[in-house]
């Protein structure tokens, strides 16, 4: 009895394309279609195609050739053999711009460096069942690229035949939210460039737009800044554990070619103890103990923001770093400021006394000075939520605020009129749940327990408890990896496929059903693994091949 | 701050001069002088006809010392050590010596699979300060191997110079507190290739784990090819590429044996066997029925244990696997029997009625048949705790080894019944806990065994809690375990290492550190050493995770709470 029910479930689910994120409009058929051995992607209608589009086309052809992913069904597709023998074959995918498009196209890289609201990511895609040419149309190069990404997820392998059993396919697709990100902390532990590039690939496969790069923190300063060479010379974990300016450019251009903007963060004025290695005069309470009094985690140390020299130093540093990033956004951080640290810092107290400012007033002046440098060069500042909720500062209305402490804080940020990114620790922190990392704490758990499952993250409502006006301030969201307990050894398994949950949530919109989503998430996880990203198993393979059968409600 | 940190370090670190060896030897005397490894360093053997696997182990050790290239975990990664390089002596030779009183020298792989009570893993090691030869001496090649794994951990590299900072070092008669130190891997929920297993065995060798408990089959897949029963893997493996050939099994067994590791294979019965229904549907009750009613997890299905035909079939399958294995131990599982499944199974109920037996009486007969076949082959049977605590099985032989998994609280009850135990408690040693629910359609579900078992929590495990002094000898040791509903090759290393090293030290070093301090309460002493072995694993290609930011790893105690 049970298994008649099961086979019904399986049949229904396998008829839905395993795309991630799910297109906003999708129709599929039940006809088999194979990819011709001379399949090619045709861009003859596009004059002067940008180089990064050509590269994306050749990557897409590579994925289709090399994915070799067997369908996630019990027989791995063997029963399709007969219908594949009689199937039409697809020999061409035609890329073209929508009819209203004029002039030479811009590159993907140029388009991702534009203001986030200006980017056009929509596309339409058709795959006819009769073997006539498939099409992708868009009003932007970025849109064509998103379409290529979808096209690359349509295909399975059976004995070296590349096929779909869901033709005809018609998709009209565009994202609900423009900001869909992933944050990586490269300061608690260092990540080689190759790990970042691999992560960017995986991000592009799920159509993320932003790599939020938390580059430095109190533990290490792995970024080469030519104007301030001592910062990394003295603050990196080792001379080989530094991102050179070439590395940074490599990461930026690799990301941009994949539709991803890099949002750099130099966290200030907290989270800066390591700056004391090169510039002790700019850091209050460096290494003060017990660290728990003066910092959220070891080591203690924060910029002396009440000091004019330190302010100028910081503004110059931010200016130097930001000038090397083409994007419009730059984060100055601003989280977890510890006031005890300044209370014991004679230098800060002297500065406050001399200027007659409160700590908050000094922070305001510091922030205006640092943000002023960014705004003068056309950048939009990004800050953590404390900068608007804990302190009364004069921030430009344009500022983007990241909500991290709790999803419950988002409405308050929106009320202050700022655009916000949802990065709530209670849903999107990938590091939670692996126990305490601070020493001498045998039964300690992580501060943000429990582990954030993909299911829980997927259930996030970005506009919960918000008015319509507040909801309009939400530009998207991101998963985040803080790396006290991570480095290259567990980067892929701790991030993937979980981070794909927010990628879909902010592309397709909230409210998705986890039972419907799970087979598709399995699919993208298996495809990631085929492409060399070590995404983890969400279930025994037995379950992955039998959608719905391992549900709690099965 | 740095002065203060140093003071704290001295106060906490009772072990002389931070000897970063894992597991820490039970007694030793070490200095803090530097000696350099000679470019022509060699390991010689002072007895004739050394077995080939000892020669291979020596070659691996020599290679590891060259290729580890581990910078010492101090600020500067050894730059301060390098100031002493000019005046330091050079170490040229390590001699492996078998004690004169020792019996005939046997291969490591023979000694590794001998019955638990006959193994001798003890060794002594010296590294003099003056550059004269070091010595590892033991009664057995297995002991020599343990000495080599210690020796490998002494060496750091700074700017091309290989050196130790622990000279002079004398370790006298280091030997394990417990005979069983294991790691369990489930290769049925998701498949792992031979290369993944070998990499895991390499890591196990480094921390002196001596048993690979291989939970090879379960309800989801049957990845072991058995010549006499080819249909089981044909129908039950995830694919032909995701199954172990007999050659694969022998490859794993010999690779393990050469590294001092016994392979304890488990074919879990009579529960956890739904997959047998793929080839023998008549042998399986409630096959693919509603799993919530009939099984702990999907899919449902258990061997029809009351059926004599099924019992005989099972005995033949177990014997076919066991007879090809050199280990003296074999596990028949026996956990999580779902009685509702049998209540609903008409063939089982019919047989029970005909024979006038209860379900557990039938289980007793089934167990007598399966264990009997293994005993005939000279195997000692291993079972999960329910077999003695819940099912009132009366036919278990007295020498049966029982694995305690449901809770550490159950250990005392098992030893009170007179059985030897292996500690495998889910509340300390389950590596899969804490990553959320894997069952579908359960958005806020957590893992059944939440929370995540940190290395610290595991390390505080007391193997003798509530065990009376007369029964201490029944505690064989313990193991950490990876059930793989949410794991595959992609996260094997990161979910296992370095956490599984916790139990390796618990059961090697025992309850007392070499300085006489209590091990259980001493995670602050342990952390720098665990960082060290973790960094060494990474140098060897094992993707052990970070326990802390590197800033903390280089500054022992500075990140304590």
């Amino acid at each position: 009895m049970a298994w008649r029910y099961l086979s019904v479930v399986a049949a229904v689910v396998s008829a839905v394309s395993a795309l991630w994120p799910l297109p906003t409009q999708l129709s599929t058929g039940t006809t088999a279609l194979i990819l011709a051995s001379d399949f090619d992607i045709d861009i003859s209608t596009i004059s002067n195609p940008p180089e990064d589009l050509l590269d994306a086309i050749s990557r897409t052809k590579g994925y289709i050739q090399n994915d070799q992913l067997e369908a996630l069904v019990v027989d791995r597709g063997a029963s399709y053999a007969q219908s594949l023998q009689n199937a039409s074959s697809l020999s061409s995918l035609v890329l073209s711009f929508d009819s209203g498009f004029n002039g030479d196209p811009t590159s993907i890289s140029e388009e991702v460096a534009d203001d986030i609201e200006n980017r056009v990511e929509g596309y339409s895609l058709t795959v006819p069942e009769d073997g006539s040419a498939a099409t992708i149309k868009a009003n932007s190069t970025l849109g064509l690229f998103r379409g290529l990404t979808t096209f690359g997820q349509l295909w399975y392998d059976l004995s070296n035949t590349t096929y779909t059993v869901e033709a005809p396919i018609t998709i009209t697709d565009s994202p609900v939210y423009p900001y869909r990100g992933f944050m990586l902390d490269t300061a608690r532990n260092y990540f080689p460039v190759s790990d970042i590039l691999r992560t960017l690939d995986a991000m592009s496969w799920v159509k993320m737009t932003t790599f939020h790069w938390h580059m430095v923190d109190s533990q290490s300063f792995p970024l080469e800044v030519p104007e301030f060479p001592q910062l990394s010379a003295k603050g990196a974990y080792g001379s080989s554990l530094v991102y050179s300016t070439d590395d940074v450019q490599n990461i930026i251009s690799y990301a941009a070619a994949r539709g991803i903007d890099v949002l750099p963060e130099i966290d200030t004025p907290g989270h800066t103890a390591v700056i004391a290695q090169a510039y002790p005069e700019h850091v209050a309470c460096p290494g003060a103990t017990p660290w728990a009094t003066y910092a959220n985690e070891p080591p203690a140390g924060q910029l002396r923001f009440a000091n004019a020299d330190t302010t100028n130093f910081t503004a110059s540093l931010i200016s130097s770093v930001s000038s090397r990033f083409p994007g419009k956004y730059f984060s100055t951080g601003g989280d977890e400021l510890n006031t005890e640290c300044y209370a014991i810092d004679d230098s800060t107290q002297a500065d406050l006394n001399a200027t007659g400012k409160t700590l908050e007033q000094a922070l305001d002046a510091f922030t205006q000075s640092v943000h002023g440098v960014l705004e003068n060069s056309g950048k939009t500042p990004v800050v953590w939520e404390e900068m608007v909720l804990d302190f009364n500062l004069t921030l430009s209305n344009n500022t983007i605020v990241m909500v991290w402490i709790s999803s419950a804080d988002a409405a308050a940020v929106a009320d202050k009129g700022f655009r916000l990114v949802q990065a709530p620790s209670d849903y999107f922190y990938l590091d939670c749940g692996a126990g305490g990392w601070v020493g001498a704490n045998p039964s300690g758990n992580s501060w943000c327990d429990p582990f954030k499952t993909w299911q829980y993250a997927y259930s996030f409502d970005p506009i919960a408890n918000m008015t319509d006006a507040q909801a309009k301030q939400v530009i998207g969201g991101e998963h985040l990896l803080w790396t006290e307990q991570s480095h290259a050894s567990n980067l892929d398994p701790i991030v993937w496929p979980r981070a794909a949950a927010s990628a879909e949530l902010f592309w397709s919109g909230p409210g998705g059903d986890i039972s419907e989503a799970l087979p598709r998430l399995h699919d993208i996880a298996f495809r990631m693994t085929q492409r060399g990203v070590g995404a983890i198993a969400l279930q025994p393979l037995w379950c992955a091949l039998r959608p719905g059968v391992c549900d709690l409600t099965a | 701050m740095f002065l203060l940190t140093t003071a704290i370090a001295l106060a906490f670190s009772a072990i002389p001069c931070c000897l970063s060896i894992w597991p820490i030897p039970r007694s030793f005397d070490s200095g803090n002088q530097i000696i350099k490894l000679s470019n022509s360093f060699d390991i010689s053997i002072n007895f004739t006809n050394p077995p080939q696997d000892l020669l291979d182990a020596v070659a691996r050790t020599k290679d590891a010392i060259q290729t580890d290239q581990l910078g010492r975990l101090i600020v500067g990664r050894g730059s301060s050590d390098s100031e002493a390089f000019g005046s330091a002596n050079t170490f040229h030779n390590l001699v492996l010596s078998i004690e004169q009183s020792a019996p005939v020298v046997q291969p490591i792989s023979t000694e590794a699979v001998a019955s638990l009570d006959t193994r001798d893993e003890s060794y002594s090691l010296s590294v003099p300060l003056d550059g004269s030869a070091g010595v590892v001496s033991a009664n057995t090649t297995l002991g020599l191997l343990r000495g080599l794994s210690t020796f490998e951990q002494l060496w750091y590299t700074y700017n091309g110079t290989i050196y130790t900072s622990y000279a002079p070092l004398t370790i006298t008669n280091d030997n394990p507190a417990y005979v069983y130190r294991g790691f369990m891997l489930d290769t049925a929920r998701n498949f792992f290739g031979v290369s993944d297993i070998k990499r895991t065995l390499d890591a196990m060798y480094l921390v002196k784990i001596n048993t690979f408990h291989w939970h090879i089959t379960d309800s989801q897949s049957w990845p072991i090819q058995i010549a006499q029963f080819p249909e089981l893997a044909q129908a039950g493996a995830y694919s032909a590429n995701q199954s172990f050939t007999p050659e694969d099994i022998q490859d794993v067994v010999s690779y393990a044996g050469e590294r001092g590791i016994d392979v304890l294979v488990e074919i879990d019965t009579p529960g956890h066997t739904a997959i047998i229904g793929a080839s023998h549907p008549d042998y399986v009750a409630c096959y693919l029925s509603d799993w919530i009613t009939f099984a702990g997890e999907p899919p449902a299905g258990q061997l029809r244990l009351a059926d004599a035909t099924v019992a005989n079939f099972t005995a033949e399958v177990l014997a076919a696997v066991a007879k090809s294995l050199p280990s003296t131990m074999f596990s028949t599982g026996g956990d999580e029997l779902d009685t509702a499944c049998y209540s609903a199974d008409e063939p089982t109920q019919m047989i029970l009625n005909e024979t006038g037996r209860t379900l557990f009486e039938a289980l007793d007969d089934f167990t007598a048949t399966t264990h009997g076949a293994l005993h005939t082959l000279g195997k000692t049977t291993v079972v999960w705790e329910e077999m003695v605590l819940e099912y009132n099985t009366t036919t278990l032989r007295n020498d049966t080894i029982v694995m305690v998994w449901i809770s550490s609280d159950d250990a005392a009850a098992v030893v009170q019944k007179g059985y030897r135990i292996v500690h495998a408690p889910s509340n300390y040693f389950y590596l899969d806990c804490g990553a959320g629910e894997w069952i579908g359609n359960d958005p806020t579900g957590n893992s059944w065994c939440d929370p995540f078992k940190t290395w610290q929590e595991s390390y505080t495990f007391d193997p003798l809690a509530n065990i009376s002094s007369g029964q201490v000898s029944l505690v064989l040791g313990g193991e950490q375990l990876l059930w793989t509903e949410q794991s595959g090759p992609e996260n094997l290393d990161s979910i296992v290492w370095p956490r599984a090293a916790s139990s390796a030290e618990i059961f090697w070093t025992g309850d007392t550190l070499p300085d006489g301090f209590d091990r259980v309460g001493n995670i602050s002493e342990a952390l720098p050493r665990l960082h060290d072995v973790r960094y060494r694993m990474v140098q060897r290609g094992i993707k052990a995770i970070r326990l802390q930011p590197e800033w903390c790893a280089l500054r022992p105690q500075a990140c304590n709470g």
Side-chain angles (χ1 to χ4, degrees):
Chain A
M1 118 219 117
W3 83 300
R4 199 175 317 140
Y5 169 64
L6 303 185
S7 61
V8 170
V9 173
V12 169
V13 176
S14 72
V16 175
S17 254
L19 299 172
W20 193 282
L22 192 65
T24 44
Q25 287 181 52
L26 164 70
S27 80
T28 58
T30 55
T31 303
L33 180 68
I34 66 172
L35 206 70
S37 56
D38 61 349
F39 169 79
D40 208 350
I41 299 178
D42 176 357
I43 50 163
S44 56
T45 71
I46 299 176
S47 55
N48 300 318
E51 192 64 33
D52 57 12
L53 179 62
L54 298 175
D55 292 344
I57 286 168
S58 90
R59 282 200 307 278
T60 303
K61 291 195 287 190
Y63 293 144
I64 292 169
Q65 284 279 322
N66 302 325
D67 276 0
Q68 301 276 315
L69 176 63
E70 294 179 321
L72 292 180
V73 294
V74 173
D75 67 6
R76 304 310 299 268
S79 59
Y80 301 142
Q82 187 65 40
S83 52
L84 295 186
Q85 273 186 3
N86 305 322
S88 302
S89 84
L90 178 70
S91 53
S92 178
L93 167 66
V94 178
L95 265 49
S96 62
F97 287 111
D98 291 335
S99 49
F101 188 92
N102 333 305
D104 279 350
T106 43
S107 68
I108 301 169
S109 307
E110 289 170 290
E111 293 181 12
V112 299
D114 200 354
D115 284 335
I116 194 161
E117 286 87 355
N118 293 344
R119 293 180 212 161
V120 176
E121 300 186 85
Y123 68 95
S124 58
L125 185 157
T126 63
V127 181
E129 62 188 323
D130 61 2
S132 57
T135 64
I136 293 174
K137 290 185 178 173
N139 215 7
S140 67
T141 316
L142 187 56
L144 293 176
F145 174 68
R146 300 293 181 223
L148 283 170
T149 303
T150 301
F151 187 80
Q153 291 181 12
L154 296 174
W155 306 98
Y156 298 92
D157 181 84
L158 178 67
S159 310
N160 294 319
T161 298
T162 305
Y163 72 94
T164 175
V165 290
E166 296 176 339
I169 299 167
T170 307
I171 292 171
T172 307
D173 198 12
S174 63
V176 173
Y177 290 94
Y179 186 109
R180 304 178 305 280
F182 167 67
M183 191 216 77
L184 181 66
D185 159 15
T186 57
R188 271 55 180 258
N189 282 304
Y190 177 83
F191 292 78
V193 172
S194 61
D195 291 307
I196 294 175
L197 300 185
R198 190 175 68 255
T199 302
L200 290 166
D201 277 319
M203 291 167 64
S204 79
W205 301 334
V206 294
K207 302 189 172 77
M208 286 187 179
T209 56
T210 308
F211 174 49
H212 173 187
W213 188 0
H214 184 88
M215 298 189 289
V216 299
D217 210 297
S218 276
Q219 288 83 1
S220 78
F221 200 105
L223 179 72
E224 181 196 11
V225 186
E227 295 82 352
F228 301 93
Q230 292 304 309
L231 284 170
S232 58
K234 294 193 170 165
Y237 280 134
S239 55
S240 62
L241 307 179
V242 173
Y243 303 105
S244 68
T245 52
D246 285 349
D247 289 338
V248 170
Q249 291 312 309
N250 183 16
I251 287 167
I252 291 168
S253 54
Y254 195 92
R258 285 155 182 78
I260 298 166
D261 188 22
V262 178
L263 164 59
E265 177 184 351
I266 300 279
D267 201 351
T268 63
H271 290 271
T272 43
V274 74
I275 291 176
Q277 302 293 322
Y279 298 96
E281 67 274 24
H282 292 319
V283 177
C285 75
T289 55
W291 61 261
T293 304
Y294 302 109
N296 280 33
E297 62 182 63
Q302 307 182 133
L303 288 170
R304 285 176 168 147
F305 60 71
N307 182 275
D309 289 343
T310 300
T311 301
N312 289 336
F313 161 81
T314 308
S316 305
L317 170 62
I318 299 285
S319 171
S320 301
V321 175
S322 68
S323 69
R324 293 185 175 85
F325 286 84
K328 291 278 174 67
Y329 305 94
F330 194 96
S331 174
T332 58
D335 56 323
E336 297 187 314
L337 209 54
N338 183 301
T339 53
E340 297 293 319
C341 168
Y342 295 113
I344 62 160
D345 184 49
D346 292 344
S347 166
T348 295
Q349 293 307 317
D351 285 329
L352 292 176
N353 283 337
T355 57
K357 285 180 184 163
T358 64
L359 199 62
E360 188 172 58
Q361 287 165 340
L363 179 61
D364 196 19
F366 172 87
T367 306
Q368 288 194 48
S369 174
V370 172
H371 283 196
V373 164
L374 288 171
E375 285 163 351
N376 287 343
S377 58
K379 306 270 183 184
T380 299
V382 180
V383 295
W384 295 109
E385 63 171 281
E386 292 98 314
M387 297 296 279
V388 300
L389 295 184
D390 290 3
F391 302 104
N392 188 15
L393 307 180
T394 315
L395 297 176
S396 146
N397 289 340
N398 201 30
T399 306
I400 294 174
V401 179
M402 298 220 166
V403 175
W404 71 274
I405 296 174
S406 165
S407 51
D409 297 343
V413 171
D415 261 350
K416 294 191 179 263
F418 295 106
R419 291 177 295 171
L420 66 94
V421 170
Q422 294 278 16
S425 58
D426 48 340
Y427 283 87
F428 292 157
Y429 269 30
L430 295 164
D431 59 318
C432 307
W437 61 268
V438 166
N441 186 21
S443 55
N445 286 319
S446 72
W447 72 271
C448 52
D449 260 12
F451 182 89
K452 309 306 172 210
T453 65
W454 77 266
Q455 301 97 311
Y456 191 65
Y458 193 72
S459 72
F460 180 70
D461 178 358
I463 55 169
N465 305 314
M466 287 189 189
T467 63
D468 287 352
Q470 290 168 337
K472 286 198 176 68
Q473 304 296 101
V474 179
I475 63 170
E478 65 181 25
H479 266 87
L480 308 91
L481 183 64
W482 301 104
T483 59
E484 284 87 351
Q485 294 164 307
S486 292
H487 92 314
S489 56
N490 65 334
L491 175 62
D492 290 6
I494 206 167
V495 174
W496 304 111
R498 278 193 294 158
S502 63
E504 174 156 298
L505 173 62
F506 291 105
W507 178 284
S508 314
D513 175 71
I514 57 168
S515 292
E516 182 280 324
L518 177 57
R520 291 186 297 104
L521 190 57
H522 275 308
D523 205 280
I524 191 71
F526 277 80
R527 201 175 288 277
M528 284 183 175
T529 303
Q530 295 297 98
R531 295 181 185 180
V533 172
I536 64 161
L538 298 171
Q539 292 187 320
L541 181 56
W542 194 90
C543 302
L545 302 182
R546 293 165 177 84
V549 176
C550 294
D551 279 7
L552 190 60
T553 44
Chain B
M1 174 201 77
F2 291 108
L3 285 176
L4 181 56
T5 304
T6 309
I8 290 171
L10 289 173
F12 274 74
S13 180
I15 288 187
C17 185
C18 7
L19 182 67
S20 284
I21 295 175
W22 194 283
I24 193 77
R26 297 179 76 190
S27 70
F28 65 86
D29 188 7
S30 83
N32 57 4
Q33 308 284 308
I34 305 273
I35 64 171
K36 297 177 291 185
L37 194 79
S38 165
N39 290 332
S40 59
F41 169 75
D42 205 357
I43 299 177
S44 53
I45 297 175
N46 84 336
F47 52 94
T48 53
N49 298 322
Q52 183 60 44
D53 62 8
L54 180 63
L55 297 174
D56 294 343
V58 165
R60 286 197 304 274
T61 295
K62 284 163 61 180
D63 185 56
I65 290 171
Q66 294 294 328
T67 57
D68 275 358
Q69 298 280 316
L70 176 63
R72 197 149 78 91
L73 293 181
I74 53 177
V75 175
R77 302 305 298 271
S79 60
S80 54
D81 294 336
S82 71
E83 292 160 16
F85 286 172
S87 57
N89 289 320
T90 301
F91 184 70
H92 297 278
N93 191 27
L94 179 72
V95 179
L96 302 191
S97 164
I98 290 279
E99 301 291 346
Q100 304 244 319
S101 58
V104 180
V105 173
Q106 300 190 78
I108 297 165
S109 50
T110 304
E111 291 172 350
V113 301
S115 67
L116 288 171
D117 50 356
T118 65
R119 291 184 204 163
D120 183 349
E121 300 184 83
S122 65
Y123 70 94
S124 297
L125 184 153
S126 65
V127 176
L129 182 58
D130 62 4
S132 59
V135 177
V136 176
S137 59
N139 292 314
T140 65
T141 55
L142 186 59
L144 293 177
L145 183 82
R146 300 298 176 224
L148 287 173
S149 77
T150 299
F151 182 75
E152 290 169 21
Q153 294 182 38
L154 300 177
W155 303 97
Y156 301 95
T157 302
Y158 181 80
N159 207 8
T161 299
I162 300 171
Y163 69 100
T164 182
S165 52
Y166 307 131
L169 173 66
T170 308
I171 297 172
T172 306
N173 192 33
D174 188 23
N175 66 92
Y178 294 89
V179 293
Y180 185 109
R181 305 176 307 281
F183 167 69
M184 191 215 77
L185 180 67
D186 160 14
T187 58
R189 270 55 178 259
N190 281 306
F191 181 77
F192 296 79
V194 170
S195 63
D196 297 310
I197 295 174
K198 285 184 174 176
R199 193 175 64 255
T200 304
L201 292 166
D202 286 336
M204 291 164 66
Y205 155 76
L206 186 60
V207 295
K208 300 184 172 67
I209 292 177
N210 70 3
T211 310
F212 173 47
H213 172 187
W214 192 352
H215 183 90
I216 199 164
T217 62
D218 211 296
S219 277
Q220 290 82 359
S221 78
W222 187 280
I224 175 171
Q225 298 180 20
I226 306 170
Q228 300 93 313
F229 301 95
E231 71 280 8
L232 287 169
Q234 276 164 13
Y238 281 135
S239 72
N241 292 333
Q242 290 162 296
S243 62
F244 302 104
T245 65
E247 294 74 31
D248 289 338
I249 305 280
Q250 290 309 315
D251 188 15
V252 168
V253 166
S254 33
Y255 193 91
E258 291 163 7
R259 285 155 184 78
I261 298 166
D262 192 9
V263 179
L264 163 58
V265 168
E266 174 185 355
I267 304 267
D268 200 352
T269 63
H272 290 272
T273 46
I275 196 67
I276 293 175
S279 53
H280 296 274
D282 292 349
Y283 292 172
V284 176
C286 63
Y287 180 49
L288 301 184
S289 299
D290 172 25
W291 70 264
I292 293 172
T293 310
F294 296 123
E297 67 182 55
Q302 308 182 132
L303 287 169
R304 286 185 166 131
L305 58 90
D307 184 337
T309 307
V310 174
N312 289 331
F313 163 81
T314 307
E316 287 172 29
V317 169
L318 298 177
V321 175
K323 74 180 184 200
S324 69
L325 300 168
S327 179
T328 62
M329 299 182 285
F330 193 93
S331 174
T332 60
D335 56 322
E336 297 188 312
L337 211 55
D338 190 298
T339 54
C341 165
Y342 293 118
S343 299
D345 185 52
E346 287 180 20
T348 296
Q349 291 306 315
M350 199 178 304
I351 294 170
L352 292 177
N353 283 337
E354 283 169 5
T355 56
R357 294 176 299 172
T358 65
L359 182 68
F360 287 157
E361 286 166 350
L363 175 62
D364 229 359
D365 293 341
F366 174 89
T367 305
T369 302
T370 57
H371 282 204
L374 293 165
H375 294 153
T376 302
L377 294 170
K379 305 291 183 186
T380 299
T381 40
V382 180
V383 296
W384 295 110
E385 63 170 280
E386 293 99 311
M387 293 293 283
V388 300
L389 294 185
E390 292 185 25
Y391 310 148
N392 299 316
T393 318
T394 60
T395 56
L396 290 180
R397 217 163 65 175
N398 289 341
D399 69 345
T400 303
I401 296 170
V402 179
M403 296 209 167
V404 177
W405 71 274
I406 296 175
S407 165
S408 52
D409 293 342
D410 296 345
V414 177
V415 297
Q416 264 164 29
K417 290 183 180 263
Y419 293 107
R420 295 180 293 171
I421 63 165
V422 169
H423 285 294
S426 57
N427 51 330
Y428 283 90
F429 289 162
Y430 269 31
L431 296 166
D432 60 318
C433 308
E437 175 67 277
W438 62 269
I439 293 292
N441 203 20
D442 185 13
T444 56
N446 286 320
S447 74
W448 72 270
C449 53
D450 260 12
F452 182 89
K453 308 307 172 210
T454 63
W455 77 266
Q456 301 96 314
E457 175 77 3
S458 303
Y459 193 75
T460 60
F461 181 73
D462 177 2
L464 300 180
N466 304 316
I467 305 282
S468 66
S469 56
Q471 292 164 332
V472 164
S473 64
L474 295 175
V475 179
L476 297 177
E479 65 181 25
Q480 280 169 287
L481 310 90
L482 183 64
W483 301 104
T484 60
E485 284 88 350
Q486 294 163 304
S487 292
E490 298 81 14
N491 64 336
L492 173 63
D493 292 9
S494 56
I495 205 166
V496 173
W497 304 111
R499 280 193 294 157
S502 280
S503 60
E505 178 154 297
I506 292 172
F507 295 106
W508 179 281
T509 307
D511 303 336
T512 307
L513 288 167
D515 51 23
F517 279 66
D518 174 32
R519 179 197 57 74
V520 174
N522 224 331
I523 60 168
S524 294
E525 185 283 319
L527 177 57
R529 291 186 297 106
L530 190 57
H531 275 305
D532 199 281
V533 77
R534 174 265 165 210
Y535 273 74
R536 198 175 291 275
M537 285 182 178
V538 170
Q539 296 300 97
R540 295 184 180 192
I542 298 144
K543 294 185 166 188
I545 65 159
R546 301 271 174 169
L547 300 171
Q548 292 187 322
E550 187 156 301
W551 192 91
C552 303
L554 302 183
R555 294 164 178 84
Q557 322 304 341
C559 294
N560 284 357

